[in-house]
């Protein structure tokens, strides 16, 4: 089994705004760090694909967004697959991505709902935005379960609760 990681947040300003420019500029380095990280398996196409030929954000570029977000033009999402839970945790909370996380208050609305979700999938499975949204909404509605969980309250691929912080 592999671990899937879906994130979904709301920018303070539109993606093409001056306010969001530092976030957009950090994307290539952050994606490159993911692809070079131990345990990386796959990620959804880069955020750049949500821009049209003129560099303007495409409305509704994601195939699915959580129902609790009202402004799809400010939603940013990522979807990746990792070989195991510790690899995903190490990527998120160390190195380049951690540097970006430390700046999230400058770029993102303060979270009031679930912003990320983890779940297990068979090796070779390719998750979709819809899968991520479904799991994120499940987590938001019910809290962590073996089908949708967090690093803090994680589950093994067999559904057993495991140690916090993604350390299996």
């Amino acid at each position: 089994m592999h671990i899937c990681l879906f994130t979904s947040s709301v920018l303070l300003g539109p993606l093409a705004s001056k306010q969001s420019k530092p976030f957009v500029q950090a994307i290539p380095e952050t994606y490159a760090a993911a692809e070079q990280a131990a345990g990386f398996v796959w990620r959804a196409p880069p955020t750049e694909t949500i821009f049209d030929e003129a560099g303007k954000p495409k409305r509704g570029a994601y195939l699915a967004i959580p129902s609790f977000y009202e402004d799809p033009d400010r939603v940013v999402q990522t979807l990746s697959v990792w070989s195991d839970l510790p690899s995903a945790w190490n990527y998120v909370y160390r190195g380049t991505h951690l540097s970006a996380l430390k700046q999230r208050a400058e770029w993102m609305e303060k979270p009031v709902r679930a912003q990320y979700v983890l779940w297990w999938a068979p090796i070779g499975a390719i998750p979709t935005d819809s899968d991520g949204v479904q799991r994120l909404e499940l987590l938001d509605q019910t809290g962590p379960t073996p089908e949708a969980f967090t690093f803090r309250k994680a589950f093994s691929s067999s559904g057993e609760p495991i140690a916090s912080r993604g350390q299996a």
Side-chain angles (χ1 to χ4, degrees):
M1 298 288 277
H2 281 158
I3 194 79
C4 300
L5 169 61
F6 178 76
T7 68
S8 187
S9 299
V10 178
L11 291 166
L12 291 171
L15 194 59
S17 70
K18 186 176 182 179
Q19 186 174 23
S20 296
K21 187 175 183 176
F23 169 78
V24 172
Q25 290 174 329
I27 291 171
E29 181 181 4
T30 305
Y31 281 170
E35 292 172 358
Q36 295 167 8
F40 173 81
V41 175
W42 174 89
R43 71 172 173 82
T47 301
E48 294 90 326
T49 61
I50 66 172
F51 293 100
D52 64 19
E53 309 78 44
K56 302 271 186 199
K58 296 177 187 173
R59 182 165 177 77
Y62 296 109
L63 298 177
I65 62 169
S67 60
F68 45 79
Y69 290 152
E70 296 176 10
D71 186 353
D73 293 332
R74 294 189 300 129
V75 173
V76 290
Q77 299 180 158
T78 66
L79 177 59
S80 55
V81 177
W82 298 84
S83 61
D84 53 50
L85 197 55
S87 294
W89 188 92
N90 286 331
Y91 166 69
V92 170
Y93 294 110
R94 294 201 170 123
T96 302
H97 190 267
L98 177 60
S99 296
L101 274 179
K102 289 179 179 179
Q103 297 177 68
R104 69 181 161 203
E106 299 169 29
W107 303 332
M108 309 288 178
E109 287 186 357
K110 186 174 180 175
V112 293
R113 310 294 289 264
Q115 284 195 297
Y116 80 93
V117 64
L118 299 157
W119 73 95
W120 293 100
I123 292 174
I126 304 294
T128 65
D129 284 346
S130 294
D131 296 330
V133 167
Q134 180 183 12
R135 303 286 180 143
L136 189 70
E137 289 177 341
L138 176 64
L139 175 65
D140 191 69
Q141 293 166 4
T142 65
T145 66
E147 292 77 31
F149 52 91
T150 66
F151 287 116
R152 187 165 292 179
K153 293 190 178 181
F155 291 83
S156 69
S157 60
S158 62
E160 298 298 317
I162 59 174
S164 64
R165 294 183 49 171
Q167 306 303 311

